Amino acid sequence: MSFIQELKRRNVFRVAITYGAVGWLLVEVASVLFPTFEAPAWVMKVFATIIFLGFPLALFLAWSFELTPDGIKKEKDVDRSLSITAQTGRKIDYVIIAVLVLALGFFVYDKFVLSPGQKAALVDAGIQGATGQADATPVTEKSIAVLPFENISRNEAHEPFTIGIHDDLLTQLSKIGSIKTISRTSVLQYRGTTKTIPQIARELGVATILEGGVQRVGDRVRINVQLIGAKTDVHLWAETYDRQLTATNIFMIQSEIATAIADALRATLLPTEQKRLATIPTENLEALEAYFLGKQSMAKRTRTALVGAVDYFKKAIELDPDFALA
């Protein structure tokens, strides 16, 4: 009998196919379950390595041992006339078919039935059930998402001013290297949201959320802000700034807010960062508002909006030729 025929007789090929199918299915299921229960990345690597290393061991066992009516015996100790490898091979065939059906079913369900949103919901549910928490991923305590500010004035004409203050505050915070700040694009989706603070923080992977509102009345501006801890959903710090409406005061308020947040998060402010926060780019309020409108037009990324953005920036420069940002 040739070596290949002996491999077939001892069901080594069947065992190889079965092991490969079962191993693939286990890895696929693990790739869903491990993140659900917040298992570290190395756990998946170790699991896949064990599956891989087990393959040659399975082949060795299939070659060296045989299942008999009296139990598992070494192949060399089995009388060939009493061998039941043919019957065992048929049973393995049924196992192969069953595993392949399961694997195909899982593949179809994962790729074509379960949407990305449903996958995320399953992950969230698994985490909450396993840990009793709402955190999907580990986050640094020195991290923040600044939600879009509310236009308390209820005057649509003041909306660009409110958006501009929010954008500039984000820019100020991003200058602090020890604080992880979520980008404007990521936080804009939560404008007018009904989601809770813990939900938003979990989705963005931050420890704190900053909410705020801007009210502009005549020559006065009032900005109120609240820094909220994601885990406890309680205020860590809050303040209301009521000042005369000037460009200088706007920048000073933003600088004070950024500094207060750094203090609340116990983040280190380098001398260069403190200097940047204290910088007043322009003292011309009209130039500042034109700059706000230019940034908001530029963010739309359409041809017409970009042309409009250039016009706004030109206007800002005409009003204040030293306004470097414009």
Side-chain angles (χ1 to χ4, degrees):
M1 182 180 293
S2 69
F3 178 66
I4 298 298
Q5 290 176 321
E6 185 64 14
L7 287 173
K8 291 180 179 179
R9 190 191 71 79
R10 299 190 188 193
N11 295 316
V12 174
F13 289 132
R14 286 186 172 96
V15 169
I17 295 172
T18 304
Y19 190 94
V22 172
W24 178 87
L25 182 60
L26 289 175
V27 169
E28 286 295 308
V29 173
S31 67
V32 174
L33 292 182
F34 286 177
T36 298
F37 294 100
E38 292 188 296
W42 63 264
V43 175
M44 185 63 192
K45 294 178 181 178
V46 171
F47 182 77
T49 300
I50 292 173
I51 295 293
F52 178 77
L53 295 178
F55 182 73
L57 178 61
L59 299 186
F60 171 77
L61 294 176
W63 173 265
S64 303
F65 294 88
E66 183 177 326
L67 181 64
T68 72
D70 297 325
I72 298 177
K73 294 183 178 181
K74 290 183 178 180
E75 200 281 332
K76 64 180 181 179
D77 297 334
V78 177
D79 187 340
R80 291 290 179 89
S81 62
L82 301 176
S83 176
I84 60 169
T85 53
Q87 296 94 311
T88 304
R90 284 192 293 271
K91 292 178 181 179
I92 295 177
D93 288 340
Y94 297 142
V95 173
I96 293 173
I97 293 172
V99 172
L100 290 177
V101 169
L102 288 173
L104 180 61
F106 179 83
F107 176 80
V108 171
Y109 181 73
D110 181 59
K111 302 298 181 184
F112 302 106
V113 178
L114 199 61
S115 69
Q118 290 173 317
K119 292 180 183 179
L122 286 175
V123 169
D124 285 348
I127 292 168
Q128 292 177 24
T131 67
Q133 303 180 47
D135 297 329
T137 55
V139 298
T140 173
E141 290 301 316
K142 296 179 178 62
S143 56
I144 187 170
V146 183
L147 298 186
F149 283 0
E150 181 183 0
N151 176 17
I152 303 176
S153 304
R154 306 301 180 189
N155 185 336
E156 290 187 8
H158 297 163
E159 188 66 27
F161 180 74
T162 300
I163 295 174
I165 290 179
H166 172 261
D167 288 351
D168 258 24
L169 180 58
L170 272 176
T171 301
Q172 295 279 30
L173 287 172
S174 67
K175 294 176 182 178
I176 304 176
S178 57
I179 298 178
K180 171 190 172 184
T181 306
I182 300 301
S183 70
R184 175 183 183 275
T185 304
S186 297
V187 298
L188 283 184
Q189 61 181 307
Y190 297 103
R191 182 183 299 277
T193 184
T194 57
K195 292 185 177 181
T196 65
I197 292 298
Q199 285 178 317
I200 296 172
R202 181 175 68 249
E203 292 174 7
L204 294 176
V206 294
T208 57
I209 296 288
L210 186 75
E211 290 185 314
V214 179
Q215 185 176 22
R216 180 176 178 177
V217 181
D219 65 347
R220 303 292 298 181
V221 62
R222 174 177 291 180
I223 302 174
N224 60 69
V225 287
Q226 308 90 37
L227 182 65
I228 305 169
K231 290 183 179 180
T232 58
D233 198 13
V234 299
H235 288 73
L236 303 177
W237 167 80
E239 187 60 83
T240 297
Y241 300 87
D242 194 340
R243 308 275 175 86
Q244 184 178 358
L245 180 56
T246 66
T248 299
N249 281 342
I250 294 299
F251 287 115
M252 288 181 64
I253 291 172
Q254 292 173 347
S255 177
E256 290 174 26
I257 293 173
T259 302
I261 290 173
D263 290 340
L265 299 183
R266 298 180 181 178
T268 302
L269 275 177
L270 300 175
T272 54
E273 293 171 342
Q274 293 175 344
K275 184 178 180 179
R276 281 198 297 265
L277 289 175
T279 300
I280 306 296
T282 181
E283 295 181 355
N284 188 306
L285 183 60
E286 290 185 59
L288 177 61
E289 292 189 275
Y291 171 70
F292 283 166
L293 291 169
K295 284 185 66 178
Q296 290 163 39
S297 292
M298 187 170 64
K300 295 178 182 178
R301 293 292 188 267
T302 64
R303 182 180 180 83
T304 302
L306 290 174
V307 172
V310 171
D311 292 337
Y312 283 124
F313 291 138
K314 286 182 177 179
K315 180 181 179 181
I317 295 171
E318 289 173 2
L319 292 166
D320 182 358
D322 296 325
F323 191 6
L325 290 176

